[in-house]
Amino acid sequence: MENAALSAGQYYNLLLEIQQARKLEAPWISGVRFTTFNHSMGNIIVRQMMLTQDVARLNDFPFIDNLVLNAACVPQKDHAEWVSKINFAHHIYIHHNKKDFQLKGAHLLTMRKQLGEKIRDDKAPNATYVNFKEAVRYKHTYFMNFPQNEYRIPTALVTYFSRLLRGEEITSSAAASLLVIKEKESSTSRL
């Protein structure tokens, strides 16, 4: 947790470089949709950056298409305050699952409800909240297939994450319909 928090400055500098590339229409990013995907403790970096860095510099214009806070292992309380200050992304997605086993462990260790676990307080008006409870049950890393694990990403999730990672906007209702997983559905697709 400490190392993640210490990385906030480097993440901020990386985003400034991406922003500058967008401004200058650098060939490697010109016309490209861009998604940042922050998983679990990686969200500590985003939260710490929003709380400690000069984000006004980042908020000149939205240079990121989708910013994803996936299974965020950060306190849920008061998250709307710092998330609502993110203006450098066109769309913000907060993925949560109250059955996530690993986030329940983080909750017990920190004695705080985790953002990726439960959404109870006020929601950030600029974010889309996506509930993964029914789609993945107790899983934490449900966006990847690991060769040693039996779990395979269901086709519905492959579709959802493919669209999200390509920088496409997904409305709340579209997300809900995409995350309907049929009984025993699985996919061997790789992201």
Side-chain angles (χ1 to χ4, degrees):
M1 291 178 135
E2 283 180 32
N3 286 339
L6 290 172
S7 300
Q10 288 87 350
Y11 187 69
Y12 174 75
N13 288 332
L14 172 66
L15 291 180
L16 285 174
E17 286 186 36
I18 294 168
Q19 178 192 51
Q20 188 65 17
R22 281 274 199 223
K23 276 184 187 174
L24 299 174
E25 297 181 6
W28 65 271
I29 201 167
S30 183
V32 173
R33 292 186 166 275
F34 197 78
T35 296
T36 61
F37 188 88
N38 309 280
H39 176 64
S40 196
M41 289 178 62
N43 289 282
I44 294 169
I45 299 167
V46 178
R47 178 179 180 265
Q48 188 69 13
M49 179 192 74
M50 293 306 297
L51 296 175
T52 63
Q53 302 296 312
D54 179 17
V55 293
R57 287 182 63 195
L58 288 177
N59 284 331
D60 279 351
F61 67 97
F63 59 93
I64 291 173
D65 293 288
N66 294 333
L67 184 139
V68 183
L69 305 176
N70 186 70
C73 189
V74 296
Q76 185 267 142
K77 186 176 182 184
D78 299 329
H79 77 277
E81 284 183 36
W82 61 268
V83 171
S84 66
K85 293 176 184 170
I86 298 172
N87 295 318
F88 54 86
H90 287 287
H91 312 287
I92 302 165
Y93 298 90
I94 299 176
H95 295 167
H96 60 97
N97 173 11
K98 73 178 184 179
K99 290 185 178 181
D100 186 315
F101 192 71
Q102 287 178 315
L103 290 178
K104 285 186 179 298
H107 180 155
L108 286 172
L109 287 172
T110 63
M111 300 304 288
R112 293 178 172 175
K113 293 176 185 131
Q114 301 300 297
L115 177 57
E117 175 192 17
K118 295 180 181 179
I119 306 297
R120 289 216 175 140
D121 287 345
D122 292 335
K123 293 181 177 180
N126 59 334
T128 299
Y129 292 79
V130 183
N131 187 347
F132 276 79
K133 182 182 89 171
E134 297 305 321
V136 300
R137 293 204 203 66
Y138 62 89
K139 301 261 186 278
H140 180 68
T141 308
Y142 44 80
F143 57 91
M144 294 176 61
N145 290 324
F146 292 100
Q148 70 275 17
N149 292 350
E150 191 176 304
Y151 172 78
R152 290 292 172 253
I153 303 169
T155 304
L157 289 188
V158 170
T159 301
Y160 174 80
F161 282 114
S162 293
R163 287 184 57 192
L164 190 70
L165 294 173
R166 283 194 306 252
E168 295 178 27
E169 178 183 5
I170 303 174
T171 64
S172 295
S173 58
S177 67
L178 282 170
L179 296 180
V180 175
I181 308 297
K182 295 178 181 120
E183 200 67 29
K184 296 190 180 184
E185 177 189 350
S186 67
S187 170
T188 56
S189 299
R190 304 275 182 204
L191 291 179

